[in-house]
Each structure stands twice: as C-alpha cells, then as structure tokens.
Amino acid sequence: LPLYPGLKRRSIISMIALQVVTLGLYWPVWILLTRRGLNNLHADTKVGVVGSTVILVFHLSYLMLPVDPVDPSIFGYATGVNPVSTSAIVSGVASLILAFRIKHVLEEHLSYRTGGRLSVVFTLVFAHFYFQHVINTRILVDVPSVAGTPGPRLQPTPIRA
C-alpha cells in the first residue's frame, strides 16, 4: 500500500512538454491527478475539485472563443465586455488562489517531517512544476518507486565539532 496514495513521481521535463502540447491545460489536469494525494498528506488544508474545474472550464473557454482584434463586434461582443479577457482573468485568479492553497498544503505536511517553507517566487513562476519537484524530492524521498527500486534519499548532514 503506497504511503501517500495519489502521489507519484513525475518527470518535470514530461510535464513541461505536456504543458506546451495542451496549451496550458495540463495545470488543472495535474491538480485533478494529484488532488487525492495532496489531501492524503499530513495537512489540515485540503484541495477541492472546484478550483481546478473552474480553471479548466475558463481556460477551455479562453482557448475556444473566437476573437477578431480589429472588430470584436463581429462575434457579438458589442457590449464592450470581451469574454476572452474575462475567461483569462478568471482562470488566472483561480490559478493563483489554488497555487497558494497547494503551497500551504505542502508546507503544512513538510512542517511535520523536515520543516521549511516553499518559495513564493517559485510558486508564482513555476507553480505545478515546482510543486512536483517538491513532491519528488522532499515528500516521496523514502517511498519506493513504481519499478520497485528505492527512490532518492536525503543524505545526512555531517555534524561538525
């Protein structure tokens, strides 16, 4: 039985490739894939399904809505409200809120084991790539990999006299 069901090591390079190929849709998909595992960590804060669903829906609408930068009224945007911009803003705000919620979950869990805070800058810039790196290197450190070989282990710091 896995120590943290729902969490697994993922290649950051593969995640970057999926992010590019899916035009940014991998972020909410990653949340949906890892939500159960994040909620199994030793943290009072939990990650719900609503946030990632909101990001997914608004990001999809952002990608699918037609836009004519010269004359937006062609597509029925005569009201002055551009639904593409609105979708991008809603998706962006929901992404920020969810990123900091996930950061908080990981920090709570790490406070039980190794302590330490996660970087605000890395959370803003790299989001799920950074979170997966933390999961790979600080949470799943002693958990055997899928192939049965031991995962990476932290080396003890020598004590200087």
Side-chain angles (χ1 to χ4, degrees):
L1 189 67
L3 185 60
Y4 303 111
L7 286 185
K8 69 178 196 173
R9 288 183 183 87
R10 288 184 170 86
S11 163
I12 306 300
I13 301 299
S14 298
M15 289 176 61
I16 292 169
L18 283 168
Q19 185 75 10
V20 171
V21 169
T22 63
L23 301 175
L25 288 175
Y26 187 67
W27 160 238
V29 170
W30 179 86
I31 297 167
L32 291 171
L33 290 173
T34 57
R35 187 182 71 80
R36 182 173 146 241
L38 292 169
N39 289 339
N40 283 328
L41 294 176
H42 302 288
D44 294 331
T45 305
K46 301 298 177 194
V47 179
V49 73
V50 174
S52 55
T53 305
V54 166
I55 295 168
L56 190 59
V57 167
F58 279 93
H59 193 79
L60 274 171
S61 68
Y62 170 77
L63 292 174
M64 295 173 67
L65 287 169
V67 176
D68 183 355
V70 178
D71 187 8
S73 64
I74 292 173
F75 297 106
Y77 307 153
T79 60
V81 176
N82 185 341
V84 174
S85 298
T86 305
S87 294
I89 290 168
V90 169
S91 178
V93 169
S95 291
L96 281 174
I97 292 169
L98 202 50
F100 280 93
R101 185 171 195 85
I102 293 169
K103 175 185 177 288
H104 187 69
V105 168
L106 293 171
E107 285 177 335
E108 274 187 75
H109 176 78
L110 290 171
S111 70
Y112 287 104
R113 291 188 61 193
T114 59
R117 310 264 307 153
L118 300 184
S119 167
V120 171
V121 174
F122 283 8
T123 297
L124 285 170
V125 175
F126 301 112
H128 57 301
F129 306 121
Y130 177 53
F131 300 146
Q132 188 63 53
H133 171 73
V134 170
I135 290 167
N136 290 349
T137 61
R138 294 176 65 185
I139 294 176
L140 297 178
V141 172
D142 294 322
V143 177
S145 68
V146 175
T149 58
R153 298 190 183 280
L154 294 176
Q155 299 298 321
T157 307
I159 300 173
R160 295 182 184 161

